[in-house]
Amino acid sequence: MENKDIKLINEDGTRIDGRRPDELRPIRMKVGLLERADGSAYLEWGGNKILAAVYGPREMYPKHQQDPARAVVRARYSMAPFSVDERKRPGPDRRSVELSMVISNALSAAVLTEEFPRTVIDVFIEVLQADAGTRIAGLTAASLALADAGIPMRDLVVGCTAGKIEGVVVLDLNKEEDNYGEADVPLGILPRTGEIVLFQMDGMMTEEELCTALDMAYNAAMEIHRMQVKALKDVYMKEAEEGGE
Ligand code: CDP
């Protein structure tokens, strides 16, 4: 949706929230805060507040849904009624079914699913507060929760969005930019190899703009990956130190 009355880029080239085009919103993450889940993570990204919890791997029921060769990674993305401006009707809708699917696919590409045939790994993503980019923030939190559950993965998955507003390629769109900008491209990246495990696009960009957007997203993915590693180390190094006393 474009709106000519709303100015998204300031005279000095900064954005309405003061960020440079290639600057992320503030991100905070914490691992392992739920006792009853096998793994969990909480993430704040801009105004997004997201909790992810993992159960499994455990035997898949009903049996006809089992995959004899690998585990099924089943993510469920859900928005709390109070997470958005207009109360969200509880329960799945078309959007959350789509997001659950793309997140499941992205996580499946990272998890070593062949190590756990016939099982299911459930990943619950609860959006407590939404502020644009919830799918990529949810994906980032989910991969941390999987790591916390001790599930072997080829790599952590990093979510990130790039896009275009008023002709400028920018990183990590906020709510106004998402609503009134020209394009947004949510991405899931495996930072070690640079593989893309989630790629969607809303709006139009030229090939050159898309290349710039991908470059920005890759650089940001490295930065977010460092935060993920730190969040994991904060818990596990501390536990190791305490255990060693
Ligand atoms: O959240 P994400 O950017 O991955 O998905 P979106 O469908 O592009 O939604 C963008 C934003 O719109 C969300 O993050 C919410 O802030 C908002 N939204 C909303 O206010 N009400 C909804 N029912 C769905 C989304």
Side-chain angles (χ1 to χ4, degrees), residues 48 77 79 84 88 95 99 130-135 175 178:
N48 294 307
Y77 168 102
M79 263 184 158
V84 285
K88 152 92 175 58
R95 177 176 173 277
L99 300 202
D131 187 33
T134 56
R135 82 193 64 196
K175 186 81 173 68
D178 185 280

Side-chain angles (χ1 to χ4, degrees), residues 25 47-48 50 77 79 83-89 93 95 98-99 103 127 129-138 161 173-175 178-179 184 186 200 202:
R25 290 175 285 177
N48 294 307
I50 298 177
Y77 168 102
M79 263 184 158
S83 65
V84 285
D85 284 338
E86 233 170 88
R87 178 184 176 276
K88 152 92 175 58
R89 205 164 150 246
D93 52 17
R95 177 176 173 277
E98 175 205 320
L99 300 202
I103 293 171
V127 179
Q129 189 171 288
D131 187 33
T134 56
R135 82 193 64 196
I136 53 93
T161 298
L173 280 66
N174 67 24
K175 186 81 173 68
D178 185 280
N179 283 354
D184 74 298
Q200 297 185 280
D202 186 14

